[in-house]
Amino acid sequence: MAANCSTGSATEPPGLETQWREIDNLNQQQLRAGDSWYLLDKRWFDQWKEYVHTGDQNSSSYPGKIDNTELFEDLDSYHLKERLSENEDFILVPSEAWHKLLSWYDLMDDQPPLERKVVDLPSTVKVEVYPVEIYLCLSSNLESTVTARFSRADKIHAIHQKIRQHFNVSETAESRLWMRSTDTSSERLRNLNMTVLDACLISGMTVIMEIRNADGTWPTSRPQIMRNTADEDSYRGPPGVCGLTNLGNTCFMNSALQCLSNTPPLTEYFLMNLYLEELNFTNPLGMKGEIAEAYADVIKQMWSGRHYSVVPRVFKTKVGHFASQFLGYQQHDSQELLSFLLDGLHEDLNRVKKKEYIELKDADGRPDQEVAEEAWRNHLRRNDSVIVDTFHGLFKSTLVCPECNKVSVTFDPFCYLSVPLPVSKERVMEVFYVSLDPMAKPTQYRLIVPKAGRVIDLCTALSQATDVPPSQMAVADVFNHRFYRIYQVDESLSCILDRDDIFVYQLNSGCMDQTDEEVILAVYMRERSHYRDYGSGSNSYSTSLFGHPLLMSVPRTQCTREDLYQLLLKRLARYVRPLDPSEEVEEEEDEDEELYKAQTNGVSDDEGDEDSEEAGPSKKEEETQQSNQADGQNNGPLEASPSSEREERAEEGESSSEPDRGSSTEEGQSACGSTDTNSQDATDGDQSAGAEPSGKEEEDDDEEEEEEEEDGEEAATCAQANKRVPGRRHYTERRKKALFTIQAVNSNGTTERGMAEAGGSFSFSSQPYIAIDWDPDMKKKYYNENEAEKYIKHQSMDVPHQQTTVQLQECIELFTTVETLEEENPWYCPTCKRHQLATKKLDLWSLPEVLIIHLKRFSYTKYSREKLDTIVEFPLRDLDFSGFLLKKTTNSTEPPSRYDLIAVSNHYGGLRDGHYTSYAQNKDNGQWYYFDDSKVTYAREEQIVTSAAYLLFYQRQDKIRQPTVPPPVPSSTQPENHITSQTHDGVDGASSCVSMETD
Ligand SMILES: [Zn+2]
């Protein structure tokens, strides 16, 4: 049926009816994408229709040659007129019909056939009558453009080829395309496999080709900073020997980048532009190729040999957009970044465009080899990229249920090995020991204690050094002149951080428990300020803590002010000079005492205040207070004090109506001195040394938030106590002058708690705290600050701190040791149908070409966080894994399992702060370099193994290529072998890497 002639002169046409039937049949054809259809002038076609329908070969309606003249703008360019419409101006006929008509009637001279392609557009297939007309040019010369037509179904690749051909751009030059619709904005055409339609290219737009500079940068995004810098332009260093500018806490990123940059297979993949073909623009798990492109830009610049240092700003921004945790300028973990980056690069370069769902199968007793091969095949079905080729290995994971002994075997891919470091079971602690001997200075000891031990273990260790039984020790954390914490003997040592100041106090008898006979008293030193704090409305003095606090056991019978005063004088004898007998004058009531009286009256934030204006509380008032108290117990946060304290207050108030009386009696009696006193006694009781009504709301800058509530309670207690303090007492008695006064305080050393005035003795419930308050003048005269601060170093402090050393192989063995899963991370046993703390064993099955080993120096457990500074001795050459591999080499074609070191990421510093650098071997010249942000220096092999090593990069020996250029000769004229200059960017500096939170 096909026309026997497709072009050229007309052949003898068949009968008119046959003509009509053939053409009409062909015109019923469906549109198929890629087919050619032809435009035919509607008037000529109508004429032809009329002619064939007359049935008369000689009819006057003979149409003559096919004539599309009316469809053309002019007969010079033969451009199609704009806005022609189908079935009005023209009709479309399929290729076969066109050629039949052509053979029967011929085409008007010189007219080109109007062939158009059928394109598959979203939701419709149509003949593309008007193709897209685009201007093409190079970024280097925007004036010189060429016009080209493309179908909407054409790939961007076709445009790319057209520009290359037209402008003679070499095939090896790396280029990228931009499309521009207006004069101001351009947009990248990143995916060359996209169609013109999908890229939204329309007629009239310009496509610009940009060609990468020799220094790895792009003409349109060349960092401003590098322009016009003569040495940057002329610098020709060894490729890859290039620093990375610190953008502010980005040393973690620079360190990881240097290690990757010096991983030969990955860098060559980018330098050879292989990545361009594999950019995955559709992977929802990736960044549409942007991470890979940004990484390529950094690598191209670093390996151009034209830069001392590269500014990875765009790369950092892209990374931050992908993983927001890297957005800011906090310090991060280089391992965390590396892990993210390998993943991001992998997904951006994943050759698998559509990931299928694959159900993982358990081994179910099948041989390892079979299960491993299946797992690897499945992995490759979803993950196939240069990252998988280079870094992915396979390990076997065996879980055993402790209850039903169900064994579950799976093989899982990994892209780095996180190996644990052997954790020392012991810990070195430094403490200050304060002996009972008042004249002995505190002594600093270095003790070895079990890491998982308790406070009693610390006491025991100290006991061996001091010969004082552990039962006579009290351990406390001292911070800002106060006890941050007083420990119980059974508390875990993990509560104590290395930086804490730990004091151990010798007690004269018994143990830490408060007994009937002894009370452990916490003693703070405070200094009064010279001014009165009128602002608070309480007329009190403000005080500030100073010196070292003290823990001492005091017989309950000696809890009177006078006894305590004498005890403290003895205990502080080393640095507190007693009053000269001549100075111990008896004095009349002085101005101070006037003040304190006023102060007592001024306790005003309590509504029952008027009561205390009386010369002393009457029985009735006491009852009122008592009932206030009872009311208060049921409402108001201020009254939410521990029941023991309330009971005690009831005790002090001598109210027999308190329902808890029975249970409180015991405690009340044990609280020294409180049972044999009452408010009545207080009214006319002696004023002992230092017995002064307490002030309220003393200032303290260091007050801690968590204590605020407690302060509230204390304030309430204080108010209660003050109400019981008789107002307007007259200090007619004579009294001795004291060095200092004693106040009951809370654990913060701030607000006084209530105290029984009667007999000047204290009553305590739980841990009692008192403060020794000094008048500034008295302190200056009698308190020897210099002596108070003195301490001795015990010889144990001279023993140097031993750094532990382990072999890398030991860490890998630890990785493969059987462990029991932790409570937080159980395993769901399919047989028992519930979570079990299974045993887990990992084994290495197959290793990648480049093996990354992550030394887990940061140890985070429920109880502690620490950085291990263990030295891990790792070999630079011939690290043999054959002993660790479960898969036994069966034939000689298997790759060997010997590895050589190629790069190391280092972390210096502790948990909270630190600096990252790296060592790496240049693939071209075999020389080791030390990369510290923008600085690069030569490194010797013996410098590489340190306690800072954090990530190790090993390459399998069969993949290692010999250096292609001789190693450089370090010039003696360069100080410290300094290779590259400081960056020209201002924000550089290791100095910016201080005190960042790693969490
Ligand atoms: Zn089970």
Side-chain angles (χ1 to χ4, degrees):
M1 283 283 288
N4 52 7
C5 173
S6 57
T7 56
S9 58
T11 53
E12 192 60 42
L16 295 184
E17 208 194 313
T18 315
Q19 280 190 34
W20 169 251
R21 209 178 46 247
E22 284 187 13
I23 298 300
D24 194 45
N25 273 343
L26 287 170
N27 280 352
Q28 309 303 318
Q29 268 184 26
Q30 297 290 309
L31 296 177
R32 274 204 331 245
D35 282 359
S36 286
W37 286 57
Y38 288 79
L39 276 77
L40 189 54
D41 186 288
K42 177 75 163 36
R43 285 184 308 169
W44 186 90
F45 185 71
D46 288 344
Q47 186 73 31
W48 171 79
K49 243 164 62 178
E50 197 186 316
Y51 170 64
V52 292
H53 281 112
T54 59
D56 179 4
Q57 292 271 12
N58 300 313
S59 164
S60 59
S61 50
Y62 178 72
K65 284 188 178 176
I66 299 169
D67 185 0
N68 283 333
T69 305
E70 289 302 312
L71 302 181
F72 294 116
E73 215 144 58
D74 57 73
L75 294 179
D76 295 321
S77 71
Y78 288 114
H79 263 175
L80 206 59
K81 276 184 186 162
E82 284 181 37
R83 286 179 288 278
L84 296 173
S85 47
E86 190 178 353
N87 297 325
E88 216 166 281
D89 301 308
F90 64 90
I91 65 150
L92 287 163
V93 295
S95 181
E96 204 178 328
W98 169 259
H99 285 107
K100 277 184 192 295
L101 289 171
L102 193 64
S103 65
W104 302 330
Y105 297 93
D106 207 354
L107 184 61
M108 285 292 279
D109 300 333
D110 301 329
Q111 282 191 12
L114 290 165
E115 181 187 2
R116 292 293 187 265
K117 295 280 185 197
V118 177
V119 291
D120 197 350
L121 302 179
S123 77
T124 170
V125 181
K126 62 182 266 186
V127 178
E128 190 178 39
V129 176
Y130 295 102
V132 181
E133 209 169 72
I134 295 168
Y135 306 107
L136 309 176
C137 67
L138 294 182
S139 67
S140 52
N141 185 1
L142 298 174
E143 301 305 310
S144 166
T145 63
V146 61
T147 312
R149 289 188 193 86
F150 298 94
S151 162
R152 285 166 187 79
D154 281 341
K155 300 263 172 77
I156 303 299
H157 202 75
I159 302 180
H160 191 248
Q161 284 306 109
K162 192 85 168 197
I163 306 181
R164 270 193 196 278
Q165 282 161 15
H166 193 274
F167 294 100
N168 290 320
V169 176
S170 120
E171 283 290 326
T172 54
E174 193 192 345
S175 57
R176 57 187 191 184
L177 298 181
W178 298 82
M179 64 176 184
R180 173 182 289 182
S181 52
T182 67
D183 281 344
T184 48
S185 72
S186 299
E187 199 183 320
R188 268 289 298 288
L189 285 169
R190 306 177 64 245
N191 186 354
L192 296 187
N193 289 316
M194 212 177 231
T195 61
V196 168
L197 179 81
D198 290 338
C200 299
L201 268 170
I202 53 168
S203 290
M205 282 189 173
T206 307
V207 173
I208 304 161
M209 179 183 274
E210 181 186 15
I211 297 158
R212 198 191 279 276
N213 293 322
D215 70 350
T217 59
W218 291 102
T220 56
S221 57
R222 209 160 176 233
Q224 293 288 325
I225 203 83
M226 293 183 188
R227 284 202 182 142
N228 306 322
T229 312
D231 63 331
E232 280 286 353
D233 285 341
S234 60
Y235 179 74
R236 290 286 195 284
V241 182
C242 173
L244 286 164
T245 301
N246 190 321
L247 302 168
N249 283 343
T250 54
C251 54
F252 74 99
M253 181 179 86
N254 293 346
S255 170
L257 276 176
Q258 289 290 3
C259 292
L260 280 185
S261 164
N262 287 289
T263 298
L266 187 64
T267 288
E268 274 154 21
Y269 170 85
F270 279 97
L271 292 183
M272 288 158 69
N273 290 338
L274 298 177
Y275 77 103
L276 289 175
E277 295 302 313
E278 300 190 329
L279 287 172
N280 189 328
F281 300 100
T282 53
N283 188 350
L285 298 175
M287 262 287 274
K288 310 214 178 319
E290 288 188 31
I291 290 279
E293 280 196 337
Y295 179 77
D297 285 353
V298 172
I299 292 298
K300 297 253 179 177
Q301 292 174 43
M302 289 173 77
W303 289 82
S304 69
R306 312 272 179 132
H307 306 288
Y308 291 113
S309 179
V310 161
V311 187
R313 187 170 279 119
V314 176
F315 175 78
K316 184 190 175 294
T317 309
K318 295 285 180 199
V319 167
H321 286 158
F322 194 28
S324 54
Q325 70 265 33
F326 298 113
L327 254 184
Y329 289 91
Q330 289 90 42
Q331 178 67 285
H332 290 280
D333 187 343
S334 69
Q335 189 271 329
E336 195 188 330
L337 179 97
L338 181 77
S339 160
F340 156 78
L341 189 52
L342 288 176
D343 195 45
L345 286 175
H346 162 63
E347 296 296 0
D348 261 5
L349 297 166
N350 200 341
R351 295 160 192 141
V352 177
K353 304 299 178 204
K354 249 200 174 107
K355 291 194 180 189
E356 53 184 319
Y357 174 74
I358 295 164
E359 198 174 353
L360 293 174
K361 279 194 275 181
D362 199 83
D364 272 333
R366 291 179 292 157
D368 277 354
Q369 183 77 26
E370 182 187 328
V371 184
E373 279 172 10
E374 177 188 87
W376 188 248
R377 261 196 323 273
N378 286 343
H379 181 54
L380 291 185
R381 273 161 73 189
R382 291 171 57 83
N383 301 282
D384 182 14
S385 71
V386 65
I387 302 297
V388 176
D389 298 345
T390 312
F391 298 103
H392 283 203
L394 201 62
F395 63 71
K396 177 188 176 184
S397 155
T398 310
L399 286 151
V400 180
C401 176
E403 214 163 288
C404 69
N405 290 324
K406 156 84 181 166
V407 179
S408 166
V409 172
T410 51
F411 283 82
D412 302 298
F414 64 86
C415 69
Y416 54 86
L417 287 186
S418 273
V419 301
L421 306 192
V423 177
S424 165
K425 298 224 177 341
E426 288 181 334
R427 172 178 174 187
V428 174
M429 287 186 81
E430 290 172 9
V431 300
F432 292 96
Y433 173 69
V434 181
S435 152
L436 260 185
D437 175 4
M439 300 317 284
K441 300 183 184 80
T443 310
Q444 191 181 23
Y445 286 87
R446 182 172 281 156
L447 306 169
I448 307 239
V449 294
K451 207 171 237 175
R454 298 177 182 284
V455 170
I456 186 67
D457 296 309
L458 173 67
C459 296
T460 307
L462 184 59
S463 172
Q464 281 160 8
T466 58
D467 282 335
V468 172
S471 60
Q472 287 182 26
M473 292 176 183
V475 181
D477 179 352
V478 173
F479 181 71
N480 267 349
H481 316 291
R482 72 187 82 172
F483 292 114
Y484 183 71
R485 192 159 169 189
I486 299 171
Y487 293 100
Q488 302 297 314
V489 288
D490 59 347
E491 282 188 86
S492 166
L493 284 177
S494 62
C495 305
I496 301 175
L497 302 178
D498 284 343
R499 62 167 185 269
D500 292 342
D501 283 327
I502 300 300
F503 280 72
V504 182
Y505 299 89
Q506 185 188 2
L507 306 173
N508 18 10
S509 66
C511 51
M512 264 301 286
D513 296 328
Q514 312 283 343
T515 64
D516 283 0
E517 295 77 30
E518 297 270 325
V519 63
I520 312 286
L521 209 50
V523 183
Y524 293 164
M525 291 284 188
R526 301 199 302 187
E527 182 175 1
R528 285 195 203 106
S529 67
H530 275 292
Y531 59 87
R532 261 184 244 176
D533 184 13
Y534 292 105
S536 70
S538 62
N539 263 348
S540 65
Y541 281 104
S542 102
T543 57
S544 54
L545 290 162
F546 70 93
H548 296 297
L550 198 61
L551 273 180
M552 53 191 278
S553 47
V554 179
R556 286 193 183 274
T557 52
Q558 290 182 44
C559 280
T560 63
R561 287 182 184 279
E562 183 55 41
D563 287 348
L564 275 180
Y565 181 78
Q566 295 304 332
L567 269 176
L568 287 166
L569 267 188
K570 269 184 228 149
R571 186 63 201 264
L572 306 175
R574 186 165 61 86
Y575 45 94
V576 172
R577 186 166 67 84
L579 276 174
D580 299 334
S582 61
E583 288 172 304
E584 269 183 59
V585 287
E586 290 193 335
E587 286 179 345
E588 292 297 317
E589 177 181 356
D590 61 15
E591 207 197 323
D592 271 9
E593 283 163 337
E594 284 288 353
L595 164 73
Y596 287 124
K597 283 190 295 175
Q599 196 180 327
T600 310
N601 295 334
V603 175
S604 58
D605 56 346
D606 206 290
E607 274 154 52
D609 222 23
E610 308 85 83
D611 294 346
S612 55
E613 296 292 326
E614 302 293 323
S618 66
K619 211 65 175 170
K620 184 174 163 260
E621 282 160 8
E622 275 176 47
E623 279 162 21
T624 313
Q625 286 158 9
Q626 206 61 61
S627 64
N628 280 349
Q629 229 173 314
D631 287 345
Q633 284 171 16
N634 297 325
N635 53 43
L638 286 185
E639 298 295 334
S641 46
S643 62
S644 62
E645 260 176 55
R646 290 199 297 263
E647 285 158 16
E648 206 176 300
R649 266 183 264 145
E651 206 50 43
E652 288 161 19
E654 259 220 335
S655 163
S656 56
S657 62
E658 191 68 27
D660 284 345
R661 171 107 195 173
S663 62
S664 66
T665 309
E666 202 177 284
E667 199 173 301
Q669 279 167 346
S670 67
C672 45
S674 69
T675 42
D676 49 22
T677 61
N678 57 39
S679 314
Q680 212 63 53
D681 293 341
T683 314
D684 30 45
D686 286 344
Q687 294 295 311
S688 306
E692 290 162 31
S694 59
K696 274 193 68 195
E697 288 188 20
E698 284 174 335
E699 263 181 26
D700 194 308
D701 295 339
D702 302 318
E703 244 173 73
E704 276 159 304
E705 277 177 45
E706 55 199 8
E707 303 271 20
E708 264 172 22
E709 201 181 329
E710 197 190 323
D711 280 356
E713 291 165 17
E714 299 292 349
T717 313
C718 181
Q720 292 290 350
N722 274 312
K723 268 192 282 184
R724 253 164 270 132
V725 172
R728 294 198 178 158
R729 268 172 299 177
H730 293 280
Y731 287 73
T732 46
E733 311 94 321
R734 289 171 178 182
R735 43 170 288 194
K736 279 184 198 164
K737 183 167 180 173
L739 278 174
F740 47 77
T741 64
I742 302 169
Q743 307 288 353
V745 293
N746 65 13
S747 62
N748 261 352
T750 51
T751 314
E752 281 88 336
R753 64 161 73 216
M755 55 184 170
E757 277 301 306
S761 59
F762 295 93
S763 87
F764 304 111
S765 53
S766 52
Q767 175 61 56
Y769 292 82
I770 60 167
I772 295 176
D773 281 1
W774 288 83
D775 179 81
D777 296 330
M778 295 297 279
K779 183 194 163 207
K780 203 173 282 174
K781 215 163 155 187
Y782 294 99
Y783 181 87
N784 185 339
E785 207 151 348
N786 189 35
E787 180 63 29
E789 295 298 322
K790 279 183 183 164
Y791 70 96
I792 303 166
K793 277 188 186 220
H794 184 255
Q795 61 193 28
S796 60
M797 294 297 292
D798 300 334
V799 181
H801 178 46
Q802 284 268 313
Q803 242 177 350
T804 337
T805 300
V806 297
Q807 300 296 312
L808 177 62
Q809 283 83 343
E810 293 174 54
C811 302
I812 299 166
E813 269 164 37
L814 271 179
F815 174 80
T816 60
T817 311
V818 178
E819 55 163 8
T820 304
L821 295 180
E822 287 177 27
E823 302 266 3
E824 313 89 72
N825 188 24
W827 172 66
Y828 185 80
C829 172
T831 310
C832 301
K833 303 273 185 245
R834 62 190 188 88
H835 286 96
Q836 296 281 19
L837 300 184
T839 60
K840 183 181 184 181
K841 172 154 171 59
L842 297 178
D843 288 293
L844 296 173
W845 180 260
S846 62
L847 295 177
E849 173 182 344
V850 174
L851 177 66
I852 304 173
I853 300 176
H854 165 221
L855 303 174
K856 286 162 85 172
R857 292 197 176 275
F858 296 104
S859 153
Y860 302 130
T861 67
K862 229 186 321 184
Y863 308 103
S864 69
R865 312 180 54 168
E866 59 177 330
K867 189 197 165 189
L868 307 168
D869 60 355
T870 311
I871 294 178
V872 177
E873 286 191 336
F874 50 90
L876 270 65
R877 280 180 201 85
D878 288 326
L879 173 58
D880 189 355
F881 272 94
S882 49
F884 293 108
L885 280 176
L886 207 59
K887 179 190 191 181
K888 293 302 165 203
T889 308
T890 46
N891 56 51
S892 54
T893 60
E894 295 275 330
S897 37
R898 285 178 181 275
Y899 285 77
D900 287 355
L901 188 75
I902 53 171
V904 180
S905 169
N906 302 304
H907 177 267
Y908 302 94
L911 267 185
R912 283 159 187 278
D913 48 42
H915 183 54
Y916 287 95
T917 66
S918 35
Y919 287 106
Q921 189 178 30
N922 185 275
K923 71 180 176 67
D924 295 337
N925 64 21
Q927 169 70 39
W928 281 89
Y929 294 92
Y930 182 62
F931 298 92
D932 182 354
D933 286 332
S934 59
K935 291 196 294 288
V936 187
T937 46
Y938 291 110
R940 291 189 312 276
E941 292 191 355
E942 57 270 28
Q943 295 174 317
I944 295 166
V945 179
T946 69
S947 63
Y950 183 46
L951 299 169
L952 311 176
F953 283 60
Y954 277 97
Q955 189 177 16
R956 205 168 57 214
Q957 283 178 347
D958 64 316
K959 293 285 184 177
I960 293 175
R961 266 191 272 137
Q962 291 311 303
T964 49
V965 294
V969 183
S971 156
S972 56
T973 57
Q974 285 170 315
E976 296 171 16
N977 288 343
H978 196 248
I979 300 158
T980 68
S981 73
Q982 284 287 341
T983 175
H984 305 279
D985 195 309
V987 273
D988 173 63
S991 53
S992 65
C993 291
V994 287
S995 57
M996 297 71 58
E997 287 286 337
T998 39
D999 42 1

